[in-house]
Amino acid sequence: LELDKMYKLKTGYLRGVDNPEEIQDGLLVLQVQILAVTGIDFESPENDPEITPQGRQRTRWIIKDFSKIFDKVGPSQKISSQEFDSDGQWFIDVYPRGYRTDENPVEVAKKDGPQAISVYLHSGRMQVELADTMKQSFKFGIKKANKLSKEVYLALGEDPEDDVWFPPGSSCIATFNQFRKCFGKQVFMSVEQLKGGRIDNAAKEILKRAGVKAPSDQDIKEELLAGNYSKGGVITLILDMSVTDEEQGMVQHMLHAIANFGCPYLDKCQETFLSFSLPETFGGAKGPPAPCFLCGRIFSAEMLQSGKFSRFPQFGYEVGREFIMDILMREEEDELYHLMASLDPSKVLAAANNRLQDRVTDIRKSLVQDGKTTDESDKPPDELEGMKRKNAEKELSLQERFTAELKRLRENLEDATFAKPT
C-alpha cells in the first residue's frame, strides 16, 4: 500500500478521521481472504533447455487433478505456481472458474461457454520490490497431451511439429513495474474445450473441405487432457516468453579516432605508414583500411590477417600480425613451447610405437622360451584365434583411444591459447 495514497483524506483508506492533520491517527482495516484446498499436488514450473525457433523461452507448468481443483475453488479464486526465472522472476495465476468473467459476458460467450479459465503472469516479489520496469512479450498455451495426425494440423493452419496449442488471442505485450504487476488473459479458454476438445463444428467443416478425415470424438477429447477428466485429468500450461540477451563489452575506438574529429591516423596504415588514398601500384597501402579489434587503430587489412595457427583465420584482426598467445603468455613462453612439444602427435606416437615394439619383442622372447613359434605375433588380429585375437584387438582399441585423447588435448590447448574473435 503506497504511503502517499494512504495518508490522504480523499482516498478514504484511513477511517475515523475528519481533520487532515490527524490522518496518521486513523483506523486502517485489512480484509484477507485465504483459499484452503486439500488433496492437490502442485509441481514447480520448468523451463525447456532450448529456445524455440521464434526466440522464446518456453516454460511448462503441470497441473494435476484439474477437475478436483475446478470443483473446490469458486469464481475469482486462483491457484498460483511457484516463482521461476524466465528473463525475469515470475509466477502464474490460474483462475479455473475465471476472474470476474461475469463482467465480460461478450468475450466469455466467444469461448463457447460461461465457464472461462483466466490466466495471468505476475511479477515476482523481489522484482516488484526492486521496482524493475520490464516490457515483455508472451503468450499462453496448452500442451497437446495426445497429438492428432499431421494432416489435421496442416489443414487447420497449425505447425504439425509443435506440441502446443495457443488459443486465438493468447498473445500479450505488457510493461511490468512496481505498480502494474500482473497481466494476462481474462478469457483464456473454456472448461468445455478441456472436457470435449477444441475441435468444434467449424474446425470439422474446414477439415471436410480440405479432404482430411476428422478425428474421432475420443481423440478430440484426449488431445489437450492427459487422463480422464472425470477422474481428475492433467493439463500442462505453457508460457512462451520472448527473451532478451544482454551483451556487455568495451569499445576501444576513441573520439579522436573518428574522421569527424580530424583524426590524423585514418589516412595511413599504422604498420607500414603507407597512405590509403594512393593505389598500391603508386606506393599506397596494400588492401583496404580496417581497425584492429584490440587497439582500435587503423591498419591495412593485409597486415591484420591472423596467422596460420588461428582456428578461425577468416575472422582475422587478432592483434596486428602477432598471436594473442605472444602477448598473454610472454613470461611463460619457454614453458608453453615445451608443453606444445610434449603434445606433438608425431613425437608422442613415435614414443608409443617404440614402447609397443619393445613389448612385442618381450612377447616373442617369452614364446621362444616356451618352445612355441613366433610367426603368429606378426599376423593381423583377423587371422588370430582365441585369446591372442582378443589381446590384439584390445591393444588396437587402446591405441585408438590414445590417439583420440591426444587430439582432444591439443584442441583444448588451442581453444585456451589462440584468439577466436567471432
Side-chain angles (χ1 to χ4, degrees), residues 235-258:
I235 65 172
T236 303
L237 185 65
I238 302 296
L239 169 67
D240 271 12
M241 178 176 291
S242 297
V243 295
T244 304
D245 293 333
E246 294 184 0
E247 299 292 343
Q248 296 182 357
M250 180 173 61
V251 179
Q252 300 192 22
H253 296 267
M254 306 305 174
L255 288 179
H256 68 269
I258 300 179

PDB file of all heavy atoms in Angstrom, residues 235-258:
ATOM      1  N   ILE A 235      -3.346 -31.272 -17.043  1.00  0.00           N
ATOM      2  CA  ILE A 235      -3.073 -30.344 -18.129  1.00  0.00           C
ATOM      3  C   ILE A 235      -1.688 -29.739 -17.911  1.00  0.00           C
ATOM      4  O   ILE A 235      -1.185 -29.680 -16.776  1.00  0.00           O
ATOM      5  CB  ILE A 235      -4.129 -29.219 -18.233  1.00  0.00           C
ATOM      6  CG1 ILE A 235      -4.100 -28.322 -16.993  1.00  0.00           C
ATOM      7  CG2 ILE A 235      -5.504 -29.787 -18.459  1.00  0.00           C
ATOM      8  CD1 ILE A 235      -4.975 -27.086 -17.119  1.00  0.00           C
ATOM      9  N   THR A 236      -1.071 -29.326 -18.991  1.00  0.00           N
ATOM     10  CA  THR A 236       0.246 -28.662 -18.932  1.00  0.00           C
ATOM     11  C   THR A 236       0.095 -27.273 -19.521  1.00  0.00           C
ATOM     12  O   THR A 236      -0.119 -27.120 -20.731  1.00  0.00           O
ATOM     13  CB  THR A 236       1.302 -29.462 -19.704  1.00  0.00           C
ATOM     14  OG1 THR A 236       1.383 -30.785 -19.173  1.00  0.00           O
ATOM     15  CG2 THR A 236       2.669 -28.798 -19.561  1.00  0.00           C
ATOM     16  N   LEU A 237       0.179 -26.263 -18.669  1.00  0.00           N
ATOM     17  CA  LEU A 237       0.074 -24.875 -19.107  1.00  0.00           C
ATOM     18  C   LEU A 237       1.428 -24.413 -19.646  1.00  0.00           C
ATOM     19  O   LEU A 237       2.480 -24.643 -19.022  1.00  0.00           O
ATOM     20  CB  LEU A 237      -0.367 -23.983 -17.951  1.00  0.00           C
ATOM     21  CG  LEU A 237      -0.631 -22.510 -18.273  1.00  0.00           C
ATOM     22  CD1 LEU A 237      -1.813 -22.373 -19.220  1.00  0.00           C
ATOM     23  CD2 LEU A 237      -0.887 -21.715 -16.999  1.00  0.00           C
ATOM     24  N   ILE A 238       1.410 -23.771 -20.803  1.00  0.00           N
ATOM     25  CA  ILE A 238       2.637 -23.347 -21.472  1.00  0.00           C
ATOM     26  C   ILE A 238       2.720 -21.821 -21.463  1.00  0.00           C
ATOM     27  O   ILE A 238       1.728 -21.135 -21.745  1.00  0.00           O
ATOM     28  CB  ILE A 238       2.681 -23.862 -22.922  1.00  0.00           C
ATOM     29  CG1 ILE A 238       2.582 -25.386 -22.947  1.00  0.00           C
ATOM     30  CG2 ILE A 238       3.942 -23.392 -23.620  1.00  0.00           C
ATOM     31  CD1 ILE A 238       3.734 -26.098 -22.293  1.00  0.00           C
ATOM     32  N   LEU A 239       3.901 -21.324 -21.135  1.00  0.00           N
ATOM     33  CA  LEU A 239       4.187 -19.895 -21.231  1.00  0.00           C
ATOM     34  C   LEU A 239       5.371 -19.721 -22.172  1.00  0.00           C
ATOM     35  O   LEU A 239       6.465 -20.232 -21.907  1.00  0.00           O
ATOM     36  CB  LEU A 239       4.511 -19.297 -19.864  1.00  0.00           C
ATOM     37  CG  LEU A 239       5.086 -17.876 -19.874  1.00  0.00           C
ATOM     38  CD1 LEU A 239       4.044 -16.872 -20.353  1.00  0.00           C
ATOM     39  CD2 LEU A 239       5.613 -17.479 -18.499  1.00  0.00           C
ATOM     40  N   ASP A 240       5.165 -19.040 -23.279  1.00  0.00           N
ATOM     41  CA  ASP A 240       6.238 -18.697 -24.216  1.00  0.00           C
ATOM     42  C   ASP A 240       6.556 -17.218 -24.052  1.00  0.00           C
ATOM     43  O   ASP A 240       5.702 -16.364 -24.302  1.00  0.00           O
ATOM     44  CB  ASP A 240       5.822 -18.985 -25.659  1.00  0.00           C
ATOM     45  CG  ASP A 240       6.168 -20.400 -26.073  1.00  0.00           C
ATOM     46  OD1 ASP A 240       6.508 -21.192 -25.179  1.00  0.00           O
ATOM     47  OD2 ASP A 240       6.080 -20.721 -27.271  1.00  0.00           O
ATOM     48  N   MET A 241       7.780 -16.910 -23.637  1.00  0.00           N
ATOM     49  CA  MET A 241       8.172 -15.523 -23.377  1.00  0.00           C
ATOM     50  C   MET A 241       9.391 -15.162 -24.212  1.00  0.00           C
ATOM     51  O   MET A 241      10.370 -15.907 -24.262  1.00  0.00           O
ATOM     52  CB  MET A 241       8.474 -15.308 -21.893  1.00  0.00           C
ATOM     53  CG  MET A 241       8.941 -13.895 -21.554  1.00  0.00           C
ATOM     54  SD  MET A 241       9.183 -13.659 -19.784  1.00  0.00           S
ATOM     55  CE  MET A 241       7.493 -13.732 -19.219  1.00  0.00           C
ATOM     56  N   SER A 242       9.321 -14.021 -24.880  1.00  0.00           N
ATOM     57  CA  SER A 242      10.481 -13.531 -25.616  1.00  0.00           C
ATOM     58  C   SER A 242      11.573 -13.156 -24.633  1.00  0.00           C
ATOM     59  O   SER A 242      11.321 -12.492 -23.630  1.00  0.00           O
ATOM     60  CB  SER A 242      10.095 -12.316 -26.474  1.00  0.00           C
ATOM     61  OG  SER A 242       9.139 -12.667 -27.447  1.00  0.00           O
ATOM     62  N   VAL A 243      12.788 -13.600 -24.925  1.00  0.00           N
ATOM     63  CA  VAL A 243      13.905 -13.352 -24.016  1.00  0.00           C
ATOM     64  C   VAL A 243      14.823 -12.310 -24.618  1.00  0.00           C
ATOM     65  O   VAL A 243      14.892 -12.122 -25.833  1.00  0.00           O
ATOM     66  CB  VAL A 243      14.685 -14.650 -23.728  1.00  0.00           C
ATOM     67  CG1 VAL A 243      13.827 -15.632 -22.983  1.00  0.00           C
ATOM     68  CG2 VAL A 243      15.195 -15.264 -25.019  1.00  0.00           C
ATOM     69  N   THR A 244      15.527 -11.607 -23.747  1.00  0.00           N
ATOM     70  CA  THR A 244      16.458 -10.549 -24.142  1.00  0.00           C
ATOM     71  C   THR A 244      17.839 -10.912 -23.638  1.00  0.00           C
ATOM     72  O   THR A 244      18.021 -11.141 -22.441  1.00  0.00           O
ATOM     73  CB  THR A 244      16.024  -9.194 -23.545  1.00  0.00           C
ATOM     74  OG1 THR A 244      14.689  -8.911 -23.948  1.00  0.00           O
ATOM     75  CG2 THR A 244      16.948  -8.100 -24.030  1.00  0.00           C
ATOM     76  N   ASP A 245      18.800 -11.009 -24.534  1.00  0.00           N
ATOM     77  CA  ASP A 245      20.184 -11.275 -24.166  1.00  0.00           C
ATOM     78  C   ASP A 245      20.927  -9.951 -24.023  1.00  0.00           C
ATOM     79  O   ASP A 245      20.937  -9.142 -24.947  1.00  0.00           O
ATOM     80  CB  ASP A 245      20.881 -12.136 -25.214  1.00  0.00           C
ATOM     81  CG  ASP A 245      20.296 -13.541 -25.260  1.00  0.00           C
ATOM     82  OD1 ASP A 245      19.787 -13.966 -24.206  1.00  0.00           O
ATOM     83  OD2 ASP A 245      20.358 -14.179 -26.321  1.00  0.00           O
ATOM     84  N   GLU A 246      21.541  -9.733 -22.873  1.00  0.00           N
ATOM     85  CA  GLU A 246      22.302  -8.514 -22.624  1.00  0.00           C
ATOM     86  C   GLU A 246      23.783  -8.788 -22.892  1.00  0.00           C
ATOM     87  O   GLU A 246      24.381  -9.671 -22.291  1.00  0.00           O
ATOM     88  CB  GLU A 246      22.106  -8.044 -21.182  1.00  0.00           C
ATOM     89  CG  GLU A 246      20.670  -7.605 -20.880  1.00  0.00           C
ATOM     90  CD  GLU A 246      20.544  -7.065 -19.478  1.00  0.00           C
ATOM     91  OE1 GLU A 246      21.558  -7.039 -18.766  1.00  0.00           O
ATOM     92  OE2 GLU A 246      19.434  -6.674 -19.089  1.00  0.00           O
ATOM     93  N   GLU A 247      24.353  -8.037 -23.812  1.00  0.00           N
ATOM     94  CA  GLU A 247      25.771  -8.168 -24.140  1.00  0.00           C
ATOM     95  C   GLU A 247      26.517  -6.938 -23.614  1.00  0.00           C
ATOM     96  O   GLU A 247      26.138  -5.804 -23.898  1.00  0.00           O
ATOM     97  CB  GLU A 247      25.971  -8.274 -25.654  1.00  0.00           C
ATOM     98  CG  GLU A 247      25.298  -9.475 -26.284  1.00  0.00           C
ATOM     99  CD  GLU A 247      25.940 -10.782 -25.865  1.00  0.00           C
ATOM    100  OE1 GLU A 247      27.080 -10.719 -25.355  1.00  0.00           O
ATOM    101  OE2 GLU A 247      25.308 -11.829 -26.013  1.00  0.00           O
ATOM    102  N   GLN A 248      27.552  -7.195 -22.830  1.00  0.00           N
ATOM    103  CA  GLN A 248      28.354  -6.110 -22.285  1.00  0.00           C
ATOM    104  C   GLN A 248      29.779  -6.229 -22.803  1.00  0.00           C
ATOM    105  O   GLN A 248      30.342  -7.318 -22.855  1.00  0.00           O
ATOM    106  CB  GLN A 248      28.360  -6.170 -20.751  1.00  0.00           C
ATOM    107  CG  GLN A 248      26.972  -5.950 -20.143  1.00  0.00           C
ATOM    108  CD  GLN A 248      27.014  -5.967 -18.633  1.00  0.00           C
ATOM    109  OE1 GLN A 248      28.069  -6.194 -18.052  1.00  0.00           O
ATOM    110  NE2 GLN A 248      25.893  -5.721 -18.002  1.00  0.00           N
ATOM    111  N   GLY A 249      30.350  -5.111 -23.199  1.00  0.00           N
ATOM    112  CA  GLY A 249      31.711  -5.140 -23.722  1.00  0.00           C
ATOM    113  C   GLY A 249      32.325  -3.760 -23.688  1.00  0.00           C
ATOM    114  O   GLY A 249      31.751  -2.803 -23.147  1.00  0.00           O
ATOM    115  N   MET A 250      33.512  -3.623 -24.256  1.00  0.00           N
ATOM    116  CA  MET A 250      34.225  -2.356 -24.244  1.00  0.00           C
ATOM    117  C   MET A 250      34.609  -1.993 -25.672  1.00  0.00           C
ATOM    118  O   MET A 250      35.166  -2.819 -26.396  1.00  0.00           O
ATOM    119  CB  MET A 250      35.493  -2.462 -23.387  1.00  0.00           C
ATOM    120  CG  MET A 250      36.298  -1.161 -23.340  1.00  0.00           C
ATOM    121  SD  MET A 250      37.655  -1.274 -22.166  1.00  0.00           S
ATOM    122  CE  MET A 250      38.587  -2.628 -22.868  1.00  0.00           C
ATOM    123  N   VAL A 251      34.289  -0.802 -26.084  1.00  0.00           N
ATOM    124  CA  VAL A 251      34.646  -0.308 -27.407  1.00  0.00           C
ATOM    125  C   VAL A 251      35.873   0.584 -27.252  1.00  0.00           C
ATOM    126  O   VAL A 251      35.848   1.563 -26.500  1.00  0.00           O
ATOM    127  CB  VAL A 251      33.482   0.481 -28.044  1.00  0.00           C
ATOM    128  CG1 VAL A 251      33.894   1.007 -29.407  1.00  0.00           C
ATOM    129  CG2 VAL A 251      32.256  -0.409 -28.174  1.00  0.00           C
ATOM    130  N   GLN A 252      36.943   0.250 -27.955  1.00  0.00           N
ATOM    131  CA  GLN A 252      38.199   0.969 -27.776  1.00  0.00           C
ATOM    132  C   GLN A 252      38.467   1.978 -28.883  1.00  0.00           C
ATOM    133  O   GLN A 252      39.602   2.374 -29.099  1.00  0.00           O
ATOM    134  CB  GLN A 252      39.344  -0.044 -27.687  1.00  0.00           C
ATOM    135  CG  GLN A 252      39.184  -1.012 -26.534  1.00  0.00           C
ATOM    136  CD  GLN A 252      40.438  -1.809 -26.280  1.00  0.00           C
ATOM    137  OE1 GLN A 252      41.524  -1.393 -26.666  1.00  0.00           O
ATOM    138  NE2 GLN A 252      40.299  -2.930 -25.625  1.00  0.00           N
ATOM    139  N   HIS A 253      37.443   2.353 -29.620  1.00  0.00           N
ATOM    140  CA  HIS A 253      37.591   3.414 -30.617  1.00  0.00           C
ATOM    141  C   HIS A 253      37.287   4.749 -29.935  1.00  0.00           C
ATOM    142  O   HIS A 253      36.151   4.998 -29.510  1.00  0.00           O
ATOM    143  CB  HIS A 253      36.641   3.189 -31.787  1.00  0.00           C
ATOM    144  CG  HIS A 253      36.939   1.934 -32.544  1.00  0.00           C
ATOM    145  ND1 HIS A 253      37.749   1.900 -33.641  1.00  0.00           N
ATOM    146  CD2 HIS A 253      36.550   0.654 -32.339  1.00  0.00           C
ATOM    147  CE1 HIS A 253      37.839   0.662 -34.096  1.00  0.00           C
ATOM    148  NE2 HIS A 253      37.119  -0.117 -33.316  1.00  0.00           N
ATOM    149  N   MET A 254      38.274   5.572 -29.776  1.00  0.00           N
ATOM    150  CA  MET A 254      38.109   6.841 -29.075  1.00  0.00           C
ATOM    151  C   MET A 254      37.577   7.915 -30.026  1.00  0.00           C
ATOM    152  O   MET A 254      37.615   7.760 -31.251  1.00  0.00           O
ATOM    153  CB  MET A 254      39.439   7.284 -28.467  1.00  0.00           C
ATOM    154  CG  MET A 254      40.062   6.231 -27.579  1.00  0.00           C
ATOM    155  SD  MET A 254      38.929   5.675 -26.276  1.00  0.00           S
ATOM    156  CE  MET A 254      39.877   4.349 -25.557  1.00  0.00           C
ATOM    157  N   LEU A 255      37.116   9.014 -29.445  1.00  0.00           N
ATOM    158  CA  LEU A 255      36.543  10.081 -30.268  1.00  0.00           C
ATOM    159  C   LEU A 255      37.582  10.669 -31.217  1.00  0.00           C
ATOM    160  O   LEU A 255      37.254  11.035 -32.344  1.00  0.00           O
ATOM    161  CB  LEU A 255      35.978  11.188 -29.363  1.00  0.00           C
ATOM    162  CG  LEU A 255      34.697  10.834 -28.599  1.00  0.00           C
ATOM    163  CD1 LEU A 255      34.284  12.010 -27.729  1.00  0.00           C
ATOM    164  CD2 LEU A 255      33.579  10.473 -29.554  1.00  0.00           C
ATOM    165  N   HIS A 256      38.832  10.736 -30.754  1.00  0.00           N
ATOM    166  CA  HIS A 256      39.841  11.333 -31.633  1.00  0.00           C
ATOM    167  C   HIS A 256      40.185  10.424 -32.815  1.00  0.00           C
ATOM    168  O   HIS A 256      40.891  10.827 -33.723  1.00  0.00           O
ATOM    169  CB  HIS A 256      41.122  11.637 -30.837  1.00  0.00           C
ATOM    170  CG  HIS A 256      41.843  10.412 -30.370  1.00  0.00           C
ATOM    171  ND1 HIS A 256      41.582   9.841 -29.149  1.00  0.00           N
ATOM    172  CD2 HIS A 256      42.790   9.642 -30.958  1.00  0.00           C
ATOM    173  CE1 HIS A 256      42.338   8.772 -28.992  1.00  0.00           C
ATOM    174  NE2 HIS A 256      43.092   8.632 -30.078  1.00  0.00           N
ATOM    175  N   ALA A 257      39.684   9.156 -32.793  1.00  0.00           N
ATOM    176  CA  ALA A 257      39.940   8.242 -33.898  1.00  0.00           C
ATOM    177  C   ALA A 257      38.786   8.220 -34.888  1.00  0.00           C
ATOM    178  O   ALA A 257      38.675   7.312 -35.688  1.00  0.00           O
ATOM    179  CB  ALA A 257      40.189   6.829 -33.364  1.00  0.00           C
ATOM    180  N   ILE A 258      37.908   9.220 -34.827  1.00  0.00           N
ATOM    181  CA  ILE A 258      36.783   9.316 -35.751  1.00  0.00           C
ATOM    182  C   ILE A 258      37.069  10.446 -36.741  1.00  0.00           C
ATOM    183  O   ILE A 258      37.598  11.496 -36.374  1.00  0.00           O
ATOM    184  CB  ILE A 258      35.464   9.576 -34.995  1.00  0.00           C
ATOM    185  CG1 ILE A 258      35.207   8.425 -34.010  1.00  0.00           C
ATOM    186  CG2 ILE A 258      34.294   9.730 -35.947  1.00  0.00           C
ATOM    187  CD1 ILE A 258      33.957   8.586 -33.187  1.00  0.00           C
TER     188      ILE A 258
END
